[in-house]
Amino acid sequence: MFETAELGQKIPKQVFKEREPPLREALLLMQQRLKDADFPVIVLFAGVDGAGKSETANLLNAWMDPRWIKTCAFGPPTQDERERPPHWRFWQNLPPRGHIGILLSAWYTEPLLTRVYGSSDERFDAALAEIETFETMLAESGALIVKFWMHLGKRAQKRRFRKLEKDPLQSWRVTAQDWEHWERYDDFVAAAERLISRTSTGHAPWYIVEGADSHYRSLRVGEILLERLEARLQRAPENVLQNGPPAEAVADVGLDSTATRPASVLDGLDLSHSLDVTDYRTQLRRLKGRLNELHRRLQEAGRASLVVFEGWDGSGKGGAIRRVVSALDASWLRVYPVAAPTDEELRHHYLWRFWRELPRQGEMALFDRSWYGRVLVERVEGFALEHEWRRAYAEINQLEHQLVEHGTVLLKFWLHIDADEQLRRFRERESTPYKRWKLTDEDWRNRERRAEYEQAAHDMVERTSTRAAPWTLVESNCKRYARIKVLST
């Protein structure tokens, strides 16, 4: 695989000086056009130590306008990063639409090192499959992904290290770990071949670049990036990945066919459940004490917890959240009321704003509405196109899988009330001054589309209630009963 990157290709200094100015000018022009585009660009550098990854990243910043470039190098994870799922730190540094993100030693580094130092092929392949899913999700949301594997042969790498060590200004670049990796060069190359073979896809291909000659690698990387930018900017707004399957193929599956759709999963809930005041107060006191004890044990174990609340307008999400909060130490929990995304959030993947708020070890985060807005309000109101909300089920399952794998305790509640009870609560809010602010025109508008929302909720539960992250459906016509069920769960 790497033979073509060990040919000793060189470009004379004079030739480089002739080709650099027009290439730089073209890249700047493309960058200006990119600023108005509806997609981000992710440029990822990986490869052999000493092959020029950081030097090439620095050069791209010099050739283009660095104000519109975000360059991130990832070393060993910090304490803050270790307390969250592994991909959390990468989500923090994804570029917004119209910008370029240059990432060094990103999501491929840990799987590669782990494989070289002894993990199994099965574990390596599982990590690569997770990466492929991640990159597919980014590409389907519009991101242009350009991946460079910067390569050196074993002898060329040794010469590079010796040369750097002799330079007083560069000697710090060569570490004992670099020489240890060099001793394992053949193991690295074998793992790299498997990595590239598994993860070089049509929407996120690898480009192998020989790194021995700085002039050659610089022009090669710049020309590839220019070609990919130009091709993407000339393409129609809707690409193949975003188009999704044809309508007739979707219809064959029967996802939304009313002729074959079984009764809604919400139909089976017994909304007559109730609890009198005396029983409620007794259970509330006991459960809040138990919850406080369990959360302190969770803190001692260094485990995070995340609770998602979804449900009808007026179903009592806020009241349930307040009962949970009142049982715990407020310094270890955060509540996120999720509203319409801000301008900054709209410039990123829709999951970006939720990844930013994942709790640390020992913390609890409560989300009053969540990433499920993609398959609920955004689906019903048309804020997300059909192919966007359809693929969101798999994307959400992947997010929740990573949370659970990391050790986060994840709970998801859907609070359900019938249409009559919802109307009664809306009327009560209208007539109560201190509750009137809760009722908006949007609440009434959503109520008119209740059948569509119920269908969306059914599909949501059907596709995202997994063994690792099941939904708890809460009968909420009686607020007291609903609060006790949430606390006991």
Side-chain angles (χ1 to χ4, degrees):
M1 175 178 287
F2 297 113
E3 291 84 356
T4 59
E6 298 179 7
L7 299 176
Q9 299 182 81
K10 294 184 178 181
I11 289 181
K13 185 175 182 180
Q14 186 59 38
V15 175
F16 177 77
K17 286 184 175 181
E18 293 171 357
R19 291 172 58 181
E20 180 191 16
L23 175 58
R24 179 175 182 174
E25 183 180 350
L27 284 169
L28 279 168
L29 176 62
M30 287 301 158
Q31 190 181 20
Q32 290 301 310
R33 292 175 58 189
L34 176 66
K35 286 162 59 176
D36 297 322
D38 193 32
F39 63 90
V41 178
I42 299 170
V43 181
L44 190 147
F45 285 100
V48 173
D49 295 329
K53 299 184 288 291
S54 59
E55 293 92 334
T56 309
N58 290 338
L59 186 65
L60 290 177
N61 275 275
W63 278 356
M64 295 188 284
D65 189 339
R67 293 176 298 175
W68 302 94
I69 299 176
K70 183 176 184 178
T71 303
C72 298
F74 297 93
T78 64
Q79 178 62 32
D80 196 32
E81 292 166 344
R82 285 196 296 269
E83 292 185 9
R84 294 175 170 93
H87 278 194
W88 178 80
R89 60 176 179 160
F90 305 127
W91 277 94
Q92 307 306 299
N93 291 289
L94 291 179
R97 293 181 175 93
H99 289 237
I100 297 174
I102 299 178
L103 309 182
L104 297 99
S105 302
W107 41 82
Y108 286 99
T109 301
E110 182 62 28
L112 181 64
L113 289 174
T114 303
R115 178 66 191 95
V116 169
Y117 283 92
S119 75
S120 65
D121 285 343
E122 291 76 12
R123 182 179 174 186
F124 189 41
D125 287 343
L128 296 180
E130 188 169 279
I131 288 172
E132 187 176 356
T133 300
F134 176 50
E135 292 180 347
T136 299
M137 177 169 58
L138 295 176
E140 286 182 335
S141 72
L144 171 61
I145 304 174
V146 188
K147 302 186 297 191
F148 294 103
W149 182 271
M150 311 298 282
H151 189 73
L152 288 174
K154 189 173 184 179
R155 290 181 180 178
Q157 187 182 36
K158 185 177 182 179
R159 288 195 299 270
R160 173 71 169 160
F161 285 174
R162 293 300 188 199
K163 182 179 179 180
L164 288 172
E165 284 181 328
K166 293 177 181 178
D167 185 343
L169 298 178
Q170 300 288 330
S171 59
W172 62 270
R173 290 182 176 273
V174 183
T175 66
Q177 186 180 58
D178 291 330
W179 282 113
E180 183 180 350
H181 290 175
W182 181 81
E183 293 287 347
R184 294 174 175 263
Y185 181 89
D186 292 339
D187 294 332
F188 269 97
V189 168
E193 285 185 353
R194 192 182 189 99
L195 180 153
I196 291 172
S197 297
R198 285 292 308 271
T199 61
S200 191
T201 60
H203 54 268
W206 280 104
Y207 295 92
I208 302 175
V209 178
E210 185 170 356
D213 179 67
S214 62
H215 295 155
Y216 172 81
R217 73 179 181 233
S218 300
L219 292 179
R220 180 67 177 146
V221 168
E223 289 166 355
I224 290 172
L225 180 57
L226 175 63
E227 179 183 338
R228 292 296 306 277
L229 281 169
E230 188 171 22
R232 179 56 188 276
L233 287 166
Q234 289 177 351
R235 193 168 62 192
E238 290 264 316
N239 59 65
V240 175
L241 273 173
Q242 290 178 312
N243 285 337
E248 58 270 22
V250 174
D252 288 342
V253 180
L255 293 181
D256 295 314
S257 170
T258 55
T260 58
R261 167 67 69 196
S264 167
V265 67
L266 303 177
D267 293 340
L269 297 179
D270 183 358
L271 296 178
S272 66
H273 285 304
S274 63
L275 198 63
D276 65 41
V277 175
T278 301
D279 285 346
Y280 169 70
R281 289 175 176 170
T282 301
Q283 292 193 50
L284 182 66
R285 182 178 180 82
R286 176 181 61 83
L287 288 169
K288 287 170 69 173
R290 178 64 173 154
L291 184 60
N292 183 284
E293 175 193 355
L294 289 170
H295 188 234
R296 283 188 280 110
R297 287 174 56 187
L298 208 63
Q299 289 174 280
E300 293 169 2
R303 299 276 294 276
S305 49
L306 193 156
V307 189
V308 168
F309 288 89
E310 295 284 355
W312 298 108
D313 297 324
S315 60
K317 296 183 295 297
I321 289 172
R322 285 196 297 275
R323 270 65 188 181
V324 173
V325 169
S326 66
L328 305 176
D329 182 346
S331 62
W332 287 93
L333 62 87
R334 294 176 295 165
V335 179
Y336 297 102
V338 176
T342 64
D343 288 343
E344 181 189 14
E345 291 164 347
L346 286 171
R347 293 176 66 85
H348 290 83
H349 190 283
Y350 74 95
L351 289 176
W352 177 78
R353 60 172 172 159
F354 302 109
W355 272 95
R356 295 177 74 191
E357 307 299 349
L358 295 185
R360 300 182 62 173
Q361 292 175 1
E363 289 183 343
M364 175 182 284
L366 299 99
F367 283 80
D368 185 354
R369 303 203 184 280
S370 66
W371 43 83
Y372 284 101
R374 188 66 155 190
V375 296
L376 292 171
V377 64
E378 291 185 38
R379 165 185 171 172
V380 175
E381 303 297 336
F383 300 136
L385 299 175
E386 183 174 350
H387 65 263
E388 293 175 326
W389 62 256
R390 282 190 184 280
R391 69 174 181 244
Y393 299 117
E395 295 170 349
I396 289 169
N397 285 337
Q398 177 68 10
L399 163 61
E400 294 177 353
H401 169 76
Q402 292 186 48
L403 287 170
V404 174
E405 281 290 299
H406 185 65
T408 301
V409 177
L410 176 63
L411 297 100
K412 304 185 301 189
F413 295 101
W414 173 270
L415 275 61
H416 188 60
I417 55 176
D418 61 33
D420 291 340
E421 177 62 18
Q422 185 184 47
L423 179 60
R424 187 192 69 77
R425 293 184 185 183
F426 280 10
R427 296 300 188 198
E428 180 184 25
R429 287 179 177 182
E430 275 187 327
S431 59
T432 307
Y434 67 87
K435 291 185 177 182
R436 197 171 296 150
W437 64 270
K438 294 183 178 182
L439 190 62
T440 66
D441 292 339
E442 185 177 345
D443 294 330
W444 289 109
R445 186 167 60 251
N446 291 347
R447 177 177 163 79
E448 293 174 359
R449 308 187 73 168
R450 184 180 174 96
E452 295 172 74
Y453 274 102
E454 186 156 348
Q455 180 68 68
H458 172 93
D459 292 343
M460 175 192 73
V461 173
E462 183 177 70
R463 290 165 175 76
T464 63
S465 192
T466 61
R467 184 172 299 180
W471 276 100
T472 298
L473 306 180
V474 182
E475 303 88 342
S476 301
N477 268 22
C478 172
K479 291 183 180 179
R480 292 188 294 269
Y481 177 87
R483 293 166 183 170
I484 292 301
K485 182 168 182 176
V486 167
L487 286 169
S488 61
T489 301

PDB file of all heavy atoms in Angstrom, residues 117 175-185 188:
ATOM      1  N   TYR A 117       0.344  -1.808  20.262  1.00  0.00           N
ATOM      2  CA  TYR A 117       0.840  -2.241  21.566  1.00  0.00           C
ATOM      3  C   TYR A 117       0.005  -3.360  22.178  1.00  0.00           C
ATOM      4  O   TYR A 117       0.009  -3.545  23.387  1.00  0.00           O
ATOM      5  CB  TYR A 117       0.924  -1.042  22.510  1.00  0.00           C
ATOM      6  CG  TYR A 117       2.125  -0.171  22.211  1.00  0.00           C
ATOM      7  CD1 TYR A 117       2.017   0.901  21.330  1.00  0.00           C
ATOM      8  CD2 TYR A 117       3.366  -0.441  22.764  1.00  0.00           C
ATOM      9  CE1 TYR A 117       3.124   1.694  21.020  1.00  0.00           C
ATOM     10  CE2 TYR A 117       4.477   0.351  22.471  1.00  0.00           C
ATOM     11  CZ  TYR A 117       4.343   1.410  21.597  1.00  0.00           C
ATOM     12  OH  TYR A 117       5.448   2.189  21.295  1.00  0.00           O
ATOM     13  N   THR A 175      11.430  12.544  20.341  1.00  0.00           N
ATOM     14  CA  THR A 175      11.346  12.074  21.722  1.00  0.00           C
ATOM     15  C   THR A 175      11.715  10.597  21.801  1.00  0.00           C
ATOM     16  O   THR A 175      11.840   9.899  20.786  1.00  0.00           O
ATOM     17  CB  THR A 175       9.922  12.267  22.271  1.00  0.00           C
ATOM     18  OG1 THR A 175       9.024  11.406  21.534  1.00  0.00           O
ATOM     19  CG2 THR A 175       9.460  13.716  22.118  1.00  0.00           C
ATOM     20  N   ALA A 176      11.867  10.131  23.038  1.00  0.00           N
ATOM     21  CA  ALA A 176      12.144   8.707  23.247  1.00  0.00           C
ATOM     22  C   ALA A 176      11.002   7.849  22.701  1.00  0.00           C
ATOM     23  O   ALA A 176      11.228   6.752  22.174  1.00  0.00           O
ATOM     24  CB  ALA A 176      12.356   8.444  24.741  1.00  0.00           C
ATOM     25  N   GLN A 177       9.788   8.384  22.798  1.00  0.00           N
ATOM     26  CA  GLN A 177       8.642   7.640  22.275  1.00  0.00           C
ATOM     27  C   GLN A 177       8.713   7.513  20.757  1.00  0.00           C
ATOM     28  O   GLN A 177       8.329   6.486  20.188  1.00  0.00           O
ATOM     29  CB  GLN A 177       7.338   8.323  22.687  1.00  0.00           C
ATOM     30  CG  GLN A 177       6.089   7.534  22.315  1.00  0.00           C
ATOM     31  CD  GLN A 177       4.814   8.228  22.740  1.00  0.00           C
ATOM     32  OE1 GLN A 177       4.554   9.364  22.345  1.00  0.00           O
ATOM     33  NE2 GLN A 177       4.021   7.547  23.568  1.00  0.00           N
ATOM     34  N   ASP A 178       9.206   8.562  20.072  1.00  0.00           N
ATOM     35  CA  ASP A 178       9.357   8.486  18.620  1.00  0.00           C
ATOM     36  C   ASP A 178      10.293   7.343  18.234  1.00  0.00           C
ATOM     37  O   ASP A 178      10.024   6.583  17.297  1.00  0.00           O
ATOM     38  CB  ASP A 178       9.906   9.809  18.077  1.00  0.00           C
ATOM     39  CG  ASP A 178       8.909  10.953  18.190  1.00  0.00           C
ATOM     40  OD1 ASP A 178       7.696  10.673  18.133  1.00  0.00           O
ATOM     41  OD2 ASP A 178       9.341  12.105  18.349  1.00  0.00           O
ATOM     42  N   TRP A 179      11.392   7.206  18.963  1.00  0.00           N
ATOM     43  CA  TRP A 179      12.331   6.120  18.661  1.00  0.00           C
ATOM     44  C   TRP A 179      11.727   4.754  19.010  1.00  0.00           C
ATOM     45  O   TRP A 179      11.975   3.760  18.309  1.00  0.00           O
ATOM     46  CB  TRP A 179      13.640   6.325  19.417  1.00  0.00           C
ATOM     47  CG  TRP A 179      14.515   7.370  18.774  1.00  0.00           C
ATOM     48  CD1 TRP A 179      14.853   8.587  19.265  1.00  0.00           C
ATOM     49  CD2 TRP A 179      15.158   7.259  17.503  1.00  0.00           C
ATOM     50  NE1 TRP A 179      15.658   9.268  18.395  1.00  0.00           N
ATOM     51  CE2 TRP A 179      15.871   8.477  17.287  1.00  0.00           C
ATOM     52  CE3 TRP A 179      15.194   6.280  16.509  1.00  0.00           C
ATOM     53  CZ2 TRP A 179      16.615   8.722  16.142  1.00  0.00           C
ATOM     54  CZ3 TRP A 179      15.943   6.526  15.362  1.00  0.00           C
ATOM     55  CH2 TRP A 179      16.644   7.723  15.183  1.00  0.00           C
ATOM     56  N   GLU A 180      10.917   4.717  20.046  1.00  0.00           N
ATOM     57  CA  GLU A 180      10.236   3.462  20.383  1.00  0.00           C
ATOM     58  C   GLU A 180       9.265   3.070  19.270  1.00  0.00           C
ATOM     59  O   GLU A 180       9.173   1.898  18.891  1.00  0.00           O
ATOM     60  CB  GLU A 180       9.498   3.614  21.714  1.00  0.00           C
ATOM     61  CG  GLU A 180       8.822   2.327  22.183  1.00  0.00           C
ATOM     62  CD  GLU A 180       8.084   2.488  23.499  1.00  0.00           C
ATOM     63  OE1 GLU A 180       8.247   3.551  24.140  1.00  0.00           O
ATOM     64  OE2 GLU A 180       7.349   1.564  23.874  1.00  0.00           O
ATOM     65  N   HIS A 181       8.554   4.064  18.743  1.00  0.00           N
ATOM     66  CA  HIS A 181       7.657   3.791  17.617  1.00  0.00           C
ATOM     67  C   HIS A 181       8.453   3.328  16.395  1.00  0.00           C
ATOM     68  O   HIS A 181       8.000   2.455  15.649  1.00  0.00           O
ATOM     69  CB  HIS A 181       6.845   5.042  17.278  1.00  0.00           C
ATOM     70  CG  HIS A 181       5.822   5.392  18.305  1.00  0.00           C
ATOM     71  ND1 HIS A 181       5.051   6.540  18.236  1.00  0.00           N
ATOM     72  CD2 HIS A 181       5.432   4.769  19.443  1.00  0.00           C
ATOM     73  CE1 HIS A 181       4.246   6.591  19.275  1.00  0.00           C
ATOM     74  NE2 HIS A 181       4.459   5.529  20.020  1.00  0.00           N
ATOM     75  N   TRP A 182       9.629   3.932  16.201  1.00  0.00           N
ATOM     76  CA  TRP A 182      10.448   3.537  15.059  1.00  0.00           C
ATOM     77  C   TRP A 182      10.859   2.076  15.163  1.00  0.00           C
ATOM     78  O   TRP A 182      10.881   1.344  14.163  1.00  0.00           O
ATOM     79  CB  TRP A 182      11.686   4.438  14.987  1.00  0.00           C
ATOM     80  CG  TRP A 182      12.573   4.122  13.813  1.00  0.00           C
ATOM     81  CD1 TRP A 182      12.413   4.523  12.521  1.00  0.00           C
ATOM     82  CD2 TRP A 182      13.763   3.324  13.841  1.00  0.00           C
ATOM     83  NE1 TRP A 182      13.415   4.025  11.727  1.00  0.00           N
ATOM     84  CE2 TRP A 182      14.263   3.285  12.510  1.00  0.00           C
ATOM     85  CE3 TRP A 182      14.460   2.641  14.842  1.00  0.00           C
ATOM     86  CZ2 TRP A 182      15.419   2.579  12.174  1.00  0.00           C
ATOM     87  CZ3 TRP A 182      15.611   1.942  14.510  1.00  0.00           C
ATOM     88  CH2 TRP A 182      16.078   1.925  13.192  1.00  0.00           C
ATOM     89  N   GLU A 183      11.168   1.615  16.377  1.00  0.00           N
ATOM     90  CA  GLU A 183      11.524   0.210  16.582  1.00  0.00           C
ATOM     91  C   GLU A 183      10.357  -0.708  16.193  1.00  0.00           C
ATOM     92  O   GLU A 183      10.568  -1.849  15.783  1.00  0.00           O
ATOM     93  CB  GLU A 183      11.901  -0.027  18.046  1.00  0.00           C
ATOM     94  CG  GLU A 183      13.178   0.662  18.492  1.00  0.00           C
ATOM     95  CD  GLU A 183      14.443   0.012  17.926  1.00  0.00           C
ATOM     96  OE1 GLU A 183      14.331  -1.114  17.383  1.00  0.00           O
ATOM     97  OE2 GLU A 183      15.504   0.635  18.006  1.00  0.00           O
ATOM     98  N   ARG A 184       9.142  -0.194  16.319  1.00  0.00           N
ATOM     99  CA  ARG A 184       7.951  -0.977  15.983  1.00  0.00           C
ATOM    100  C   ARG A 184       7.390  -0.572  14.611  1.00  0.00           C
ATOM    101  O   ARG A 184       6.201  -0.739  14.355  1.00  0.00           O
ATOM    102  CB  ARG A 184       6.873  -0.769  17.057  1.00  0.00           C
ATOM    103  CG  ARG A 184       7.245  -1.309  18.426  1.00  0.00           C
ATOM    104  CD  ARG A 184       6.189  -0.919  19.449  1.00  0.00           C
ATOM    105  NE  ARG A 184       6.430  -1.498  20.758  1.00  0.00           N
ATOM    106  CZ  ARG A 184       5.864  -2.616  21.219  1.00  0.00           C
ATOM    107  NH1 ARG A 184       5.010  -3.279  20.456  1.00  0.00           N
ATOM    108  NH2 ARG A 184       6.143  -3.067  22.427  1.00  0.00           N
ATOM    109  N   TYR A 185       8.244  -0.046  13.773  1.00  0.00           N
ATOM    110  CA  TYR A 185       7.792   0.503  12.487  1.00  0.00           C
ATOM    111  C   TYR A 185       6.943  -0.496  11.713  1.00  0.00           C
ATOM    112  O   TYR A 185       5.874  -0.150  11.193  1.00  0.00           O
ATOM    113  CB  TYR A 185       9.003   0.925  11.649  1.00  0.00           C
ATOM    114  CG  TYR A 185       8.635   1.536  10.313  1.00  0.00           C
ATOM    115  CD1 TYR A 185       8.415   2.906  10.188  1.00  0.00           C
ATOM    116  CD2 TYR A 185       8.493   0.746   9.166  1.00  0.00           C
ATOM    117  CE1 TYR A 185       8.064   3.478   8.968  1.00  0.00           C
ATOM    118  CE2 TYR A 185       8.144   1.302   7.945  1.00  0.00           C
ATOM    119  CZ  TYR A 185       7.934   2.658   7.849  1.00  0.00           C
ATOM    120  OH  TYR A 185       7.585   3.216   6.640  1.00  0.00           O
ATOM    121  N   PHE A 188       3.514  -0.746  13.048  1.00  0.00           N
ATOM    122  CA  PHE A 188       2.733   0.444  12.724  1.00  0.00           C
ATOM    123  C   PHE A 188       2.225   0.388  11.281  1.00  0.00           C
ATOM    124  O   PHE A 188       1.061   0.698  10.999  1.00  0.00           O
ATOM    125  CB  PHE A 188       3.566   1.709  12.943  1.00  0.00           C
ATOM    126  CG  PHE A 188       3.456   2.289  14.313  1.00  0.00           C
ATOM    127  CD1 PHE A 188       4.410   2.007  15.280  1.00  0.00           C
ATOM    128  CD2 PHE A 188       2.394   3.106  14.654  1.00  0.00           C
ATOM    129  CE1 PHE A 188       4.309   2.525  16.555  1.00  0.00           C
ATOM    130  CE2 PHE A 188       2.279   3.637  15.931  1.00  0.00           C
ATOM    131  CZ  PHE A 188       3.241   3.344  16.897  1.00  0.00           C
TER     132      PHE A 188
END
